mmCIF file of all heavy atoms in Angstrom:
data_model
loop_
_atom_site.group_PDB
_atom_site.id
_atom_site.type_symbol
_atom_site.label_atom_id
_atom_site.label_comp_id
_atom_site.label_asym_id
_atom_site.label_seq_id
_atom_site.Cartn_x
_atom_site.Cartn_y
_atom_site.Cartn_z
ATOM 1 N N PRO M 267 -0.979 22.030 8.655
ATOM 2 C CA PRO M 267 -2.162 22.924 8.317
ATOM 3 C C PRO M 267 -3.468 22.175 8.802
ATOM 4 O O PRO M 267 -3.563 20.997 8.839
ATOM 5 C CB PRO M 267 -2.120 22.991 6.815
ATOM 6 C CG PRO M 267 -0.732 22.554 6.412
ATOM 7 C CD PRO M 267 -0.349 21.538 7.478
ATOM 8 N N GLY M 268 -4.442 23.007 9.133
ATOM 9 C CA GLY M 268 -5.727 22.491 9.519
ATOM 10 C C GLY M 268 -6.445 21.801 8.373
ATOM 11 O O GLY M 268 -6.251 22.161 7.255
ATOM 12 N N ASN M 269 -7.216 20.749 8.706
ATOM 13 C CA ASN M 269 -7.933 19.954 7.725
ATOM 14 C C ASN M 269 -7.111 19.391 6.651
ATOM 15 O O ASN M 269 -7.561 19.171 5.501
ATOM 16 C CB ASN M 269 -9.073 20.885 7.099
ATOM 17 C CG ASN M 269 -10.004 21.418 8.107
ATOM 18 O OD1 ASN M 269 -10.401 20.716 9.076
ATOM 19 N ND2 ASN M 269 -10.334 22.685 8.020
ATOM 20 N N SER M 270 -5.821 19.118 6.948
ATOM 21 C CA SER M 270 -4.942 18.557 5.892
ATOM 22 C C SER M 270 -4.955 17.093 5.858
ATOM 23 O O SER M 270 -4.466 16.429 4.886
ATOM 24 C CB SER M 270 -3.492 19.064 6.141
ATOM 25 O OG SER M 270 -3.044 18.541 7.387
ATOM 26 N N GLY M 271 -5.396 16.457 6.985
ATOM 27 C CA GLY M 271 -5.311 15.055 7.084
ATOM 28 C C GLY M 271 -3.985 14.518 7.559
ATOM 29 O O GLY M 271 -3.795 13.310 7.899
ATOM 30 N N LEU M 272 -2.945 15.464 7.691
ATOM 31 C CA LEU M 272 -1.648 15.079 8.220
ATOM 32 C C LEU M 272 -1.703 15.178 9.766
ATOM 33 O O LEU M 272 -2.508 15.960 10.271
ATOM 34 C CB LEU M 272 -0.587 16.040 7.644
ATOM 35 C CG LEU M 272 -0.445 16.018 6.116
ATOM 36 C CD1 LEU M 272 0.579 17.073 5.723
ATOM 37 C CD2 LEU M 272 -0.011 14.634 5.630
ATOM 38 N N LYS M 273 -0.843 14.402 10.437
ATOM 39 C CA LYS M 273 -0.903 14.372 11.863
ATOM 40 C C LYS M 273 0.365 14.963 12.445
ATOM 41 O O LYS M 273 1.503 14.580 12.075
ATOM 42 C CB LYS M 273 -1.041 12.859 12.369
ATOM 43 C CG LYS M 273 -2.452 12.283 11.988
ATOM 44 C CD LYS M 273 -2.552 10.894 12.560
ATOM 45 C CE LYS M 273 -2.547 10.910 14.093
ATOM 46 N NZ LYS M 273 -2.819 9.619 14.637
ATOM 47 N N LEU M 274 0.177 15.809 13.414
ATOM 48 C CA LEU M 274 1.358 16.397 14.172
ATOM 49 C C LEU M 274 2.032 15.209 14.838
ATOM 50 O O LEU M 274 1.433 14.310 15.501
ATOM 51 C CB LEU M 274 0.837 17.344 15.286
ATOM 52 C CG LEU M 274 1.922 17.996 16.139
ATOM 53 C CD1 LEU M 274 2.757 18.945 15.352
ATOM 54 C CD2 LEU M 274 1.321 18.683 17.321
ATOM 55 N N GLY M 275 3.392 15.158 14.670
ATOM 56 C CA GLY M 275 4.163 14.112 15.260
ATOM 57 C C GLY M 275 4.370 12.873 14.405
ATOM 58 O O GLY M 275 5.107 11.963 14.743
ATOM 59 N N ALA M 276 3.755 12.846 13.165
ATOM 60 C CA ALA M 276 4.032 11.666 12.282
ATOM 61 C C ALA M 276 5.512 11.654 11.893
ATOM 62 O O ALA M 276 6.154 12.697 11.818
ATOM 63 C CB ALA M 276 3.158 11.908 11.014
ATOM 64 N N LYS M 277 5.996 10.412 11.761
ATOM 65 C CA LYS M 277 7.501 10.268 11.640
ATOM 66 C C LYS M 277 7.866 9.386 10.482
ATOM 67 O O LYS M 277 7.134 8.537 9.994
ATOM 68 C CB LYS M 277 8.063 9.669 12.957
ATOM 69 C CG LYS M 277 7.742 10.503 14.166
ATOM 70 C CD LYS M 277 8.350 9.915 15.396
ATOM 71 C CE LYS M 277 7.941 10.696 16.635
ATOM 72 N NZ LYS M 277 8.271 12.103 16.543
ATOM 73 N N ARG M 278 9.134 9.586 10.042
ATOM 74 C CA ARG M 278 9.767 8.781 9.029
ATOM 75 C C ARG M 278 11.229 8.691 9.389
ATOM 76 O O ARG M 278 11.921 9.713 9.545
ATOM 77 C CB ARG M 278 9.561 9.358 7.629
ATOM 78 C CG ARG M 278 10.069 8.486 6.497
ATOM 79 C CD ARG M 278 9.558 9.055 5.140
ATOM 80 N NE ARG M 278 10.111 8.418 4.023
ATOM 81 C CZ ARG M 278 9.698 7.252 3.453
ATOM 82 N NH1 ARG M 278 8.712 6.615 4.017
ATOM 83 N NH2 ARG M 278 10.235 6.790 2.366
ATOM 84 N N LEU M 279 11.745 7.464 9.543
ATOM 85 C CA LEU M 279 13.173 7.241 9.849
ATOM 86 C C LEU M 279 13.980 7.001 8.604
ATOM 87 O O LEU M 279 13.569 6.152 7.765
ATOM 88 C CB LEU M 279 13.285 5.989 10.814
ATOM 89 C CG LEU M 279 14.584 5.777 11.539
ATOM 90 C CD1 LEU M 279 14.813 6.907 12.559
ATOM 91 C CD2 LEU M 279 14.625 4.480 12.213
ATOM 92 N N ILE M 280 14.980 7.775 8.383
ATOM 93 C CA ILE M 280 15.727 7.751 7.128
ATOM 94 C C ILE M 280 17.205 7.474 7.383
ATOM 95 O O ILE M 280 17.932 8.373 7.880
ATOM 96 C CB ILE M 280 15.569 9.135 6.408
ATOM 97 C CG1 ILE M 280 14.120 9.501 6.263
ATOM 98 C CG2 ILE M 280 16.328 9.115 5.088
ATOM 99 C CD1 ILE M 280 13.844 10.924 5.962
ATOM 100 N N PRO M 281 17.673 6.252 7.114
ATOM 101 C CA PRO M 281 19.072 5.981 7.281
ATOM 102 C C PRO M 281 19.911 6.624 6.206
ATOM 103 O O PRO M 281 19.408 6.968 5.121
ATOM 104 C CB PRO M 281 19.187 4.468 7.173
ATOM 105 C CG PRO M 281 17.984 4.089 6.349
ATOM 106 C CD PRO M 281 16.880 5.147 6.639
ATOM 107 N N VAL M 282 21.190 6.850 6.459
ATOM 108 C CA VAL M 282 22.013 7.459 5.422
ATOM 109 C C VAL M 282 22.058 6.552 4.133
ATOM 110 O O VAL M 282 22.303 7.096 3.037
ATOM 111 C CB VAL M 282 23.455 7.709 5.982
ATOM 112 C CG1 VAL M 282 24.246 6.453 6.250
ATOM 113 C CG2 VAL M 282 24.248 8.601 5.094
ATOM 114 N N GLU M 283 21.958 5.276 4.351
ATOM 115 C CA GLU M 283 21.842 4.370 3.265
ATOM 116 C C GLU M 283 20.764 3.339 3.610
ATOM 117 O O GLU M 283 20.652 2.884 4.711
ATOM 118 C CB GLU M 283 23.170 3.585 3.007
ATOM 119 C CG GLU M 283 24.378 4.506 2.575
ATOM 120 C CD GLU M 283 25.604 3.758 2.421
ATOM 121 O OE1 GLU M 283 25.611 2.606 2.803
ATOM 122 O OE2 GLU M 283 26.602 4.311 1.937
ATOM 123 N N GLY M 284 19.997 2.931 2.634
ATOM 124 C CA GLY M 284 18.975 1.941 2.826
ATOM 125 C C GLY M 284 17.569 2.543 2.844
ATOM 126 O O GLY M 284 17.374 3.757 2.631
ATOM 127 N N ALA M 285 16.595 1.656 2.986
ATOM 128 C CA ALA M 285 15.185 2.086 2.908
ATOM 129 C C ALA M 285 14.709 2.750 4.203
ATOM 130 O O ALA M 285 14.982 2.346 5.272
ATOM 131 C CB ALA M 285 14.313 0.855 2.633
ATOM 132 N N PRO M 286 13.917 3.826 4.032
ATOM 133 C CA PRO M 286 13.285 4.551 5.160
ATOM 134 C C PRO M 286 12.222 3.679 5.802
ATOM 135 O O PRO M 286 11.777 2.604 5.217
ATOM 136 C CB PRO M 286 12.723 5.811 4.610
ATOM 137 C CG PRO M 286 13.393 5.989 3.283
ATOM 138 C CD PRO M 286 13.713 4.574 2.800
ATOM 139 N N TRP M 287 11.759 4.065 7.006
ATOM 140 C CA TRP M 287 10.703 3.412 7.713
ATOM 141 C C TRP M 287 9.678 4.394 8.262
ATOM 142 O O TRP M 287 10.099 5.375 8.849
ATOM 143 C CB TRP M 287 11.355 2.523 8.874
ATOM 144 C CG TRP M 287 10.370 1.722 9.607
ATOM 145 C CD1 TRP M 287 9.666 0.650 9.139
ATOM 146 C CD2 TRP M 287 9.993 1.892 10.963
ATOM 147 N NE1 TRP M 287 8.853 0.109 10.136
ATOM 148 C CE2 TRP M 287 9.111 0.775 11.259
ATOM 149 C CE3 TRP M 287 10.362 2.816 11.989
ATOM 150 C CZ2 TRP M 287 8.486 0.650 12.565
ATOM 151 C CZ3 TRP M 287 9.828 2.591 13.288
ATOM 152 C CH2 TRP M 287 8.854 1.556 13.537
ATOM 153 N N GLY M 288 8.441 4.137 8.077
ATOM 154 C CA GLY M 288 7.372 5.047 8.476
ATOM 155 C C GLY M 288 7.025 6.002 7.401
ATOM 156 O O GLY M 288 7.657 6.077 6.316
ATOM 157 N N THR M 289 6.024 6.840 7.700
ATOM 158 C CA THR M 289 5.623 7.807 6.681
ATOM 159 C C THR M 289 5.073 9.111 7.374
ATOM 160 O O THR M 289 4.518 9.037 8.480
ATOM 161 C CB THR M 289 4.449 7.275 5.765
ATOM 162 O OG1 THR M 289 4.098 8.308 4.832
ATOM 163 C CG2 THR M 289 3.236 6.832 6.611
ATOM 164 N N LEU M 290 5.273 10.235 6.723
ATOM 165 C CA LEU M 290 4.749 11.475 7.233
ATOM 166 C C LEU M 290 3.279 11.649 6.756
ATOM 167 O O LEU M 290 2.676 12.647 7.183
ATOM 168 C CB LEU M 290 5.573 12.671 6.721
ATOM 169 C CG LEU M 290 7.057 12.543 7.128
ATOM 170 C CD1 LEU M 290 7.848 13.693 6.472
ATOM 171 C CD2 LEU M 290 7.168 12.720 8.628
ATOM 172 N N GLY M 291 2.840 10.749 5.937
ATOM 173 C CA GLY M 291 1.416 10.819 5.573
ATOM 174 C C GLY M 291 1.155 11.107 4.101
ATOM 175 O O GLY M 291 0.067 11.127 3.612
ATOM 176 N N GLU M 292 2.230 11.378 3.374
ATOM 177 C CA GLU M 292 2.048 11.678 1.955
ATOM 178 C C GLU M 292 3.334 11.313 1.211
ATOM 179 O O GLU M 292 4.420 11.706 1.554
ATOM 180 C CB GLU M 292 1.682 13.169 1.718
ATOM 181 C CG GLU M 292 1.463 13.431 0.281
ATOM 182 C CD GLU M 292 0.306 14.464 0.094
ATOM 183 O OE1 GLU M 292 -0.610 14.488 0.921
ATOM 184 O OE2 GLU M 292 0.425 15.257 -0.846
ATOM 185 N N ALA M 293 3.203 10.591 0.065
ATOM 186 C CA ALA M 293 4.384 10.073 -0.697
ATOM 187 C C ALA M 293 5.263 11.166 -1.170
ATOM 188 O O ALA M 293 6.546 11.131 -1.101
ATOM 189 C CB ALA M 293 3.932 9.243 -1.828
ATOM 190 N N ALA M 294 4.700 12.275 -1.736
ATOM 191 C CA ALA M 294 5.533 13.386 -2.286
ATOM 192 C C ALA M 294 6.338 14.039 -1.137
ATOM 193 O O ALA M 294 7.522 14.397 -1.327
ATOM 194 C CB ALA M 294 4.655 14.358 -3.005
ATOM 195 N N LEU M 295 5.728 14.185 -0.014
ATOM 196 C CA LEU M 295 6.359 14.838 1.134
ATOM 197 C C LEU M 295 7.484 13.861 1.646
ATOM 198 O O LEU M 295 8.573 14.301 1.955
ATOM 199 C CB LEU M 295 5.426 15.113 2.244
ATOM 200 C CG LEU M 295 5.893 15.759 3.539
ATOM 201 C CD1 LEU M 295 6.614 17.123 3.213
ATOM 202 C CD2 LEU M 295 4.822 15.920 4.555
ATOM 203 N N ASP M 296 7.190 12.568 1.699
ATOM 204 C CA ASP M 296 8.193 11.638 2.158
ATOM 205 C C ASP M 296 9.397 11.692 1.302
ATOM 206 O O ASP M 296 10.574 11.648 1.777
ATOM 207 C CB ASP M 296 7.613 10.218 2.088
ATOM 208 C CG ASP M 296 6.652 9.865 3.228
ATOM 209 O OD1 ASP M 296 6.604 10.639 4.216
ATOM 210 O OD2 ASP M 296 5.941 8.891 3.086
ATOM 211 N N SER M 297 9.186 11.769 0.009
ATOM 212 C CA SER M 297 10.319 11.781 -0.964
ATOM 213 C C SER M 297 11.185 13.034 -0.806
ATOM 214 O O SER M 297 12.388 12.977 -0.792
ATOM 215 C CB SER M 297 9.788 11.667 -2.413
ATOM 216 O OG SER M 297 10.801 11.740 -3.325
ATOM 217 N N ALA M 298 10.531 14.196 -0.688
ATOM 218 C CA ALA M 298 11.264 15.458 -0.540
ATOM 219 C C ALA M 298 12.052 15.479 0.796
ATOM 220 O O ALA M 298 13.201 15.888 0.850
ATOM 221 C CB ALA M 298 10.308 16.650 -0.599
ATOM 222 N N VAL M 299 11.437 14.976 1.850
ATOM 223 C CA VAL M 299 12.086 14.977 3.150
ATOM 224 C C VAL M 299 13.315 14.005 3.152
ATOM 225 O O VAL M 299 14.326 14.280 3.696
ATOM 226 C CB VAL M 299 11.072 14.645 4.264
ATOM 227 C CG1 VAL M 299 11.801 14.344 5.612
ATOM 228 C CG2 VAL M 299 10.106 15.744 4.433
ATOM 229 N N GLU M 300 13.122 12.904 2.480
ATOM 230 C CA GLU M 300 14.178 11.868 2.397
ATOM 231 C C GLU M 300 15.397 12.466 1.754
ATOM 232 O O GLU M 300 16.529 12.344 2.195
ATOM 233 C CB GLU M 300 13.752 10.668 1.636
ATOM 234 C CG GLU M 300 14.798 9.572 1.499
ATOM 235 C CD GLU M 300 14.254 8.356 0.747
ATOM 236 O OE1 GLU M 300 13.003 8.232 0.683
ATOM 237 O OE2 GLU M 300 15.083 7.570 0.247
ATOM 238 N N ARG M 301 15.206 13.239 0.657
ATOM 239 C CA ARG M 301 16.329 13.900 0.002
ATOM 240 C C ARG M 301 16.997 14.867 0.888
ATOM 241 O O ARG M 301 18.249 14.897 1.060
ATOM 242 C CB ARG M 301 15.816 14.630 -1.254
ATOM 243 C CG ARG M 301 16.843 15.383 -2.048
ATOM 244 C CD ARG M 301 16.164 16.356 -3.007
ATOM 245 N NE ARG M 301 15.394 17.411 -2.256
ATOM 246 C CZ ARG M 301 14.115 17.704 -2.532
ATOM 247 N NH1 ARG M 301 13.484 17.089 -3.479
ATOM 248 N NH2 ARG M 301 13.549 18.682 -1.792
ATOM 249 N N ASP M 302 16.231 15.713 1.566
ATOM 250 C CA ASP M 302 16.864 16.756 2.434
ATOM 251 C C ASP M 302 17.493 16.097 3.700
ATOM 252 O O ASP M 302 18.466 16.644 4.192
ATOM 253 C CB ASP M 302 15.763 17.767 2.837
ATOM 254 C CG ASP M 302 15.245 18.598 1.715
ATOM 255 O OD1 ASP M 302 15.998 18.741 0.719
ATOM 256 O OD2 ASP M 302 14.145 19.078 1.752
ATOM 257 N N ALA M 303 16.930 15.054 4.193
ATOM 258 C CA ALA M 303 17.476 14.434 5.358
ATOM 259 C C ALA M 303 18.871 13.895 5.095
ATOM 260 O O ALA M 303 19.799 14.038 5.922
ATOM 261 C CB ALA M 303 16.549 13.319 5.810
ATOM 262 N N ARG M 304 19.050 13.288 3.945
ATOM 263 C CA ARG M 304 20.359 12.787 3.631
ATOM 264 C C ARG M 304 21.378 13.857 3.419
ATOM 265 O O ARG M 304 22.553 13.728 3.685
ATOM 266 C CB ARG M 304 20.262 11.845 2.423
ATOM 267 C CG ARG M 304 19.489 10.520 2.815
ATOM 268 C CD ARG M 304 19.630 9.429 1.768
ATOM 269 N NE ARG M 304 19.138 8.176 2.344
ATOM 270 C CZ ARG M 304 18.236 7.399 1.894
ATOM 271 N NH1 ARG M 304 17.630 7.750 0.697
ATOM 272 N NH2 ARG M 304 17.897 6.304 2.485
ATOM 273 N N ALA M 305 20.957 15.008 2.900
ATOM 274 C CA ALA M 305 21.828 16.108 2.783
ATOM 275 C C ALA M 305 22.196 16.670 4.180
ATOM 276 O O ALA M 305 23.401 17.035 4.426
ATOM 277 C CB ALA M 305 21.181 17.271 1.944
ATOM 278 N N LEU M 306 21.254 16.738 5.108
ATOM 279 C CA LEU M 306 21.539 17.216 6.481
ATOM 280 C C LEU M 306 22.471 16.169 7.203
ATOM 281 O O LEU M 306 23.295 16.617 8.002
ATOM 282 C CB LEU M 306 20.218 17.419 7.250
ATOM 283 C CG LEU M 306 19.503 18.695 6.849
ATOM 284 C CD1 LEU M 306 18.104 18.685 7.577
ATOM 285 C CD2 LEU M 306 20.237 19.943 7.204
ATOM 286 N N LEU M 307 22.272 14.890 6.944
ATOM 287 C CA LEU M 307 23.157 13.923 7.576
ATOM 288 C C LEU M 307 24.576 14.097 7.236
ATOM 289 O O LEU M 307 25.520 13.909 7.986
ATOM 290 C CB LEU M 307 22.666 12.509 7.214
ATOM 291 C CG LEU M 307 21.498 11.931 7.945
ATOM 292 C CD1 LEU M 307 21.043 10.645 7.300
ATOM 293 C CD2 LEU M 307 21.823 11.795 9.436
ATOM 294 N N ALA M 308 24.831 14.579 5.974
ATOM 295 C CA ALA M 308 26.222 14.826 5.559
ATOM 296 C C ALA M 308 26.853 15.968 6.326
ATOM 297 O O ALA M 308 28.064 15.980 6.554
ATOM 298 C CB ALA M 308 26.226 15.117 4.053
#
């Protein structure tokens, strides 16, 4: 979204096990995406 402070292309690498690396720009978003990423990896 415009004026959100978030950046197009921001990244977070999420292994199936272990700690992620990088950030999308917001902790709550990082947490939600981490949960969904591991479900998609399955």
Side-chain angles (χ1 to χ4, degrees):
N269 301 319
S270 66
L272 301 175
K273 294 184 64 175
L274 180 71
K277 301 182 186 303
R278 185 168 172 83
L279 195 67
I280 304 162
V282 68
E283 295 177 353
W287 183 66
T289 180
L290 299 173
E292 183 144 328
L295 180 60
D296 284 346
S297 178
V299 170
E300 182 179 339
R301 178 197 62 230
D302 292 337
R304 290 192 166 126
L306 285 173
L307 281 171

